[in-house]
Amino acid sequence: MRIAHIAPVATTIPPPKSGSVETMTSLLTEGLVARGHDVTLFATADSRTTARLHAIFPHGYWHDENMWPWELYEMLNLAAAVERARDFDIIHYEAAYYPMSLAFARLSPTPIVQTLHHSPSAAEVALWSRYPEAPFVAISNEQARLLSGLNVIDTVLHGIDTDNFVFRQKPDDYLLFLGRFTEGKGVLQAIEIAKRVKMRLILAAAEDDYYRERVAPHVDGRHVVYYGEADFEAKVKLYGGARALIYPIQAREPFGLVLAEAMACGTPVVALDRGAVREVVDEGVTGMIFEDLEQMANELPRVFDLDRRRVHDRAVARFGAARMVDEYVAVYTRLLEAHRD
């Protein structure tokens, strides 16, 4: 198939450090090329890919404050693919923020499928329902439920590059929080839990206003340690060295990529039962899921008894990138066959 894959233009593909949407876009692009498909990646010029690269911007707006408004840059990158629609069989838009691709749904002669990477509000879904025929791929059943009323044609869980997540049998003695510093990610709750179980906690994320105002006062360098934003190599070492990844999520996340990544290193996870957690974590096998913070604090040590080799093996079986690529190829094939009919 001839596939146009449209990435966000916030940063490079793959991203230099964090960026789950950019990571997924890169993995899918490279997997499709490896399968022999003719893929054109619409991304920034400093991206790295084995696909054909179509770039109208030298770099992303995360790195250039003059690239404003960011929405226009995203729109122009998307438009560049639609303008060449007849060169492709499928156009796949990775909607980091919202599916602006819907505006092209009835204009493009080539089917456009969109993957959303956040949990939408009811108001957003109501607006998007003006295009009830536009196909979406959900990243979890949790997200598919939120997209009720739209044309959700399949659910494809994220994949990760499991070959590069190094298994570690014997960890160090710390808990790990890895994720953006926002209220919804539960970093303050992670600190509370670590203090209650008397374990060192390492925080790995980019510093922002929330960190400076709400989190930094708790960081003492001994019991609560701020690592900073980790690149891929550092992230793998942090995962492997942790007794457990702590994920006291407060918002209803549609997936939780850090869960799969930690498990691929053999590190079990402790999480609150929110959003798609139960779709990612196999209770009692790859981690423990709790109803509230009290239960998490009281029962967290149980997770240390889980078999780290089994954690790793289950993560590789469920979240290998090859599975994700296969499922997207099946989605594209169905869309193309329906379009030809």
Side-chain angles (χ1 to χ4, degrees):
M1 283 178 282
R2 300 171 302 160
I3 303 164
H5 200 193
I6 305 168
V9 290
T11 188
T12 63
I13 306 298
K17 291 188 177 180
S18 59
S20 60
V21 184
E22 292 78 13
T23 299
M24 289 301 97
T25 302
S26 178
L27 282 174
L28 179 54
T29 297
E30 302 313 303
L32 290 168
V33 172
R35 295 287 200 287
H37 297 286
D38 184 356
V39 184
T40 301
L41 177 66
F42 289 77
T44 58
D46 52 357
S47 296
R48 293 176 288 108
T49 181
T50 56
R52 305 171 193 268
L53 179 62
H54 184 107
I56 56 178
F57 307 117
H59 51 252
Y61 50 78
W62 283 356
H63 312 286
D64 187 348
E65 63 182 12
N66 293 316
M67 293 178 67
W68 187 262
W70 63 264
E71 293 95 336
L72 184 57
Y73 288 87
E74 293 283 357
M75 180 66 79
L76 294 179
N77 186 53
L78 168 60
V82 178
E83 287 163 5
R84 293 179 50 193
R86 296 189 186 280
D87 294 339
F88 307 112
D89 299 311
I90 294 290
I91 297 174
H92 184 181
Y93 181 62
E94 301 287 353
Y97 302 100
Y98 47 83
M100 58 180 70
S101 48
L102 293 178
F104 295 96
R106 296 167 188 163
L107 301 175
S108 172
T110 297
I112 302 175
V113 60
Q114 29 274 312
T115 298
L116 190 67
H117 290 269
H118 74 277
S119 294
S121 67
E124 287 177 304
V125 173
L127 176 62
W128 304 341
S129 65
R130 297 171 70 92
Y131 291 85
E133 75 279 16
F136 282 80
V137 174
I139 62 174
S140 64
N141 292 328
E142 160 73 13
Q143 190 193 61
R145 286 191 291 271
L146 296 175
L147 294 171
S148 177
L150 300 178
N151 182 23
V152 179
I153 58 173
D154 209 342
T155 295
V156 178
L157 297 178
H158 285 333
I160 59 175
D161 186 4
T162 52
D163 290 342
N164 286 320
F165 284 92
V166 181
F167 170 69
R168 182 167 167 181
Q169 181 66 56
K170 294 185 178 180
D172 298 323
D173 193 24
Y174 64 83
L175 299 173
L176 176 66
F177 173 90
L178 196 150
R180 295 192 312 276
F181 289 128
T182 66
E183 185 174 352
K185 293 291 185 180
V187 60
L188 295 180
Q189 289 77 12
I191 293 171
E192 176 187 342
I193 293 294
K195 288 180 177 178
R196 289 184 59 176
V197 299
K198 295 181 171 57
M199 288 189 67
R200 184 163 60 110
L201 175 66
I202 294 180
L203 308 175
E207 183 178 329
D208 57 14
D209 288 341
Y210 186 85
Y211 172 80
R212 288 184 286 269
E213 295 168 8
R214 302 290 302 280
V215 181
H218 299 279
V219 175
D220 60 12
R222 293 180 59 219
H223 301 100
V224 181
V225 179
Y226 176 54
Y227 181 89
E229 187 178 14
D231 61 17
F232 185 83
E233 183 179 355
K235 181 170 64 171
V236 170
K237 289 181 179 178
L238 287 169
Y239 282 138
R243 295 283 300 279
L245 177 80
I246 186 165
Y247 191 78
I249 195 75
Q250 301 297 294
R252 297 180 67 89
E253 288 280 334
F255 189 77
L257 191 63
V258 295
L259 300 173
E261 291 179 343
M263 295 185 301
C265 295
T267 300
V269 302
V270 289
L272 289 181
D273 192 3
R274 306 280 190 278
V277 163
R278 287 196 178 273
E279 295 181 61
V280 182
V281 180
D282 292 314
E283 172 76 21
V285 178
T286 58
M288 305 295 297
I289 303 172
F290 301 107
E291 294 298 323
D292 52 42
L293 292 179
E294 186 69 23
Q295 185 188 30
M296 180 180 283
N298 291 337
E299 301 183 30
L300 184 148
R302 292 169 50 207
V303 80
F304 304 146
D305 294 330
L306 296 179
D307 183 338
R308 292 177 69 93
R309 170 59 70 178
R310 192 178 181 202
V311 172
H312 165 78
D313 290 347
R314 183 65 66 91
V316 170
R318 293 196 61 208
F319 299 112
R323 185 268 310 156
M324 176 182 69
V325 174
D326 288 343
E327 291 179 7
Y328 269 112
V329 169
V331 167
Y332 299 156
T333 300
R334 291 203 310 272
L335 282 173
L336 188 55
E337 289 173 351
H339 182 69
R340 286 171 176 161
D341 292 342

